[in-house]
Amino acid sequence: MAAGLIISPLFLSVEDEPSIDFAKPLVIFGDQLPLTTHDRVTTENMVGVYRATARLAEHGCQRIAIIGVHEGQTAGAAPRRLQGYRQALRDAGLEHDPALEIPAEVWYQPTGEMAVRSMIEQGLRPDGIVCMSDLLAAGALQELRRQGIRVPQDVKVFGYDDSVDSQYLYPALSSVDPNLRDAARIAVDLLCDRIEGRVPALAAQAGHGGGETGETRGTDGNDRPKFAQVTVPSILRERAELHVKNECRAAGGAAARHCEGSRAGREGKRPARSKMRLTSCRSSRCLRRSASARRRTRRAAAARRSARRPSPRRMG
């Protein structure tokens, strides 16, 4: 028999509290079941999406969509993230368009793909997209590529979870890291304290995180905190794809000359040797162009050598 339990409920609500009858120590993980009668650990769902949306606005996005909305849901990660998205739009002075709040009941690749297809069919063309999970973002990137919409030149995309896969997508995906490692460590520490009969230090600290409001809740008869309500801060993992659009122009100097060298090769001209050596611009687009130019140069040189080679004489 287990000495204690950590649960991450996805399909329970506050109404189910009477049915939670567990005599051993219990720690709740996440926003789905906001009970104050047990220790609880949450992540910054609202703040994380707020920061991602605000970052897209700072990069010049004017019409920012969000994918992963759960219509009618009032508790859990989805409504908290939607709340952060709306607050970021207000703070950035951007118009709130309900049509850009795209539902996705399941947060995985096919629904992200379908969400982008639905936006395009409705004539919606956002210049920024916040996805409520990296899996949604992977599907969205796939459909954007299929539709010929460039990322990040035409639309910038932000994910959530900072999964390992997000770093290997093309382009690499900027994402919100919910800091699950620290959250899991805190949840285990709380449970171990309860199993060993100690009041966790986090439960005894007044004013320590009640959800994302900073309020401590749950007290004993002496009006002292009894149950810990801990919110673990998120981290914004911003990767290079948000900057590719302007990086050549912003770098200037050698980077700009390298781009000119790639363009010259594309147009059939032979750029100065010094220009081809200046490769400080490392954007994937410029690297593809320069590689293509080198291949064309090699093919042209091979054709010239073949034309100069004398044809063999016939014996007879």
Side-chain angles (χ1 to χ4, degrees):
M1 180 67 179
L5 185 65
I6 298 174
I7 63 170
S8 179
L10 295 179
F11 301 103
L12 296 178
S13 65
V14 177
E15 289 74 20
D16 297 309
E17 181 178 6
S19 63
I20 301 176
D21 185 13
F22 191 68
K24 300 297 179 65
L26 177 68
V27 176
I28 299 173
F29 195 99
D31 284 313
Q32 184 65 34
L33 195 61
L35 301 180
T36 58
T37 53
H38 298 278
D39 295 316
R40 187 163 66 99
V41 180
T42 61
T43 58
E44 288 185 331
N45 284 299
M46 183 178 73
V47 174
V49 169
Y50 175 95
R51 294 174 63 197
T53 306
R55 196 70 183 115
L56 290 178
E58 290 172 7
H59 278 287
C61 296
Q62 297 292 311
R63 287 180 55 77
I64 303 174
I66 185 167
I67 296 176
V69 175
H70 287 178
E71 296 174 323
Q73 185 174 327
T74 57
R80 300 290 288 168
R81 295 179 190 182
L82 181 60
Q83 185 180 355
Y85 161 80
R86 290 173 175 173
Q87 184 63 49
L89 292 183
R90 285 194 294 268
D91 291 349
L94 298 178
E95 180 184 359
H96 172 233
D97 184 355
L100 293 176
E101 296 178 356
I102 312 300
E105 191 63 30
V106 182
W107 289 351
Y108 73 142
Q109 297 93 328
T111 51
E113 186 179 11
M114 289 186 291
V116 170
R117 190 180 306 129
S118 173
M119 280 193 291
I120 294 173
E121 290 173 353
Q122 295 176 56
L124 300 173
R125 289 300 297 267
D127 53 8
I129 299 176
V130 176
C131 296
M132 291 195 187
S133 79
D134 287 347
L135 295 179
L136 284 171
L141 289 173
Q142 174 73 10
E143 184 62 21
L144 288 169
R145 190 179 304 115
R146 186 180 293 117
Q147 297 286 345
I149 300 173
R150 301 172 301 167
V151 178
Q153 291 86 346
D154 301 324
V155 59
K156 295 177 172 60
V157 180
F158 232 106
Y160 197 106
D161 290 332
D162 191 40
S163 61
V164 174
D165 292 341
S166 68
Q167 304 172 40
Y168 295 93
L169 295 172
Y170 181 77
L173 180 68
S174 291
S175 186
V176 178
D177 179 358
N179 208 357
L180 292 179
R181 185 180 295 273
D182 281 356
R185 177 184 56 77
I186 292 172
V188 171
D189 288 346
L190 288 171
L191 185 62
C192 290
D193 283 344
R194 295 294 186 186
I195 291 173
E196 294 171 5
R198 297 190 301 267
V199 175
L202 292 175
Q205 292 176 4
H208 192 95
E212 286 169 297
T213 65
E215 175 192 1
T216 298
R217 297 170 294 184
T219 59
D220 59 18
N222 295 320
D223 198 32
R224 291 178 303 188
K226 184 179 179 182
F227 296 105
Q229 305 285 307
V230 185
T231 299
V232 179
S234 60
I235 304 168
L236 209 61
R237 303 291 187 188
E238 188 173 353
R239 298 193 170 90
E241 94 281 359
L242 291 180
H243 303 283
V244 171
K245 182 176 182 180
N246 296 319
E247 85 176 340
C248 298
R249 187 183 308 162
R257 291 194 294 274
H258 170 61
C259 295
E260 292 170 3
S262 299
R263 192 176 301 114
R266 224 172 37 254
E267 294 170 356
K269 303 174 185 177
R270 185 171 185 176
R273 185 177 297 274
S274 60
K275 292 180 181 178
M276 294 302 290
R277 287 176 180 165
L278 297 171
T279 58
S280 60
C281 173
R282 306 299 296 173
S283 75
S284 57
R285 190 176 183 185
C286 289
L287 290 175
R288 289 199 305 274
R289 287 176 176 174
S290 59
S292 178
R294 288 195 297 272
R295 286 194 296 271
R296 280 193 290 270
T297 301
R298 287 195 295 269
R299 286 197 294 267
R304 288 194 295 270
R305 286 195 299 270
S306 177
R308 288 196 296 267
R309 190 178 301 143
S311 57
R313 294 180 179 179
R314 288 189 175 182
M315 303 294 294

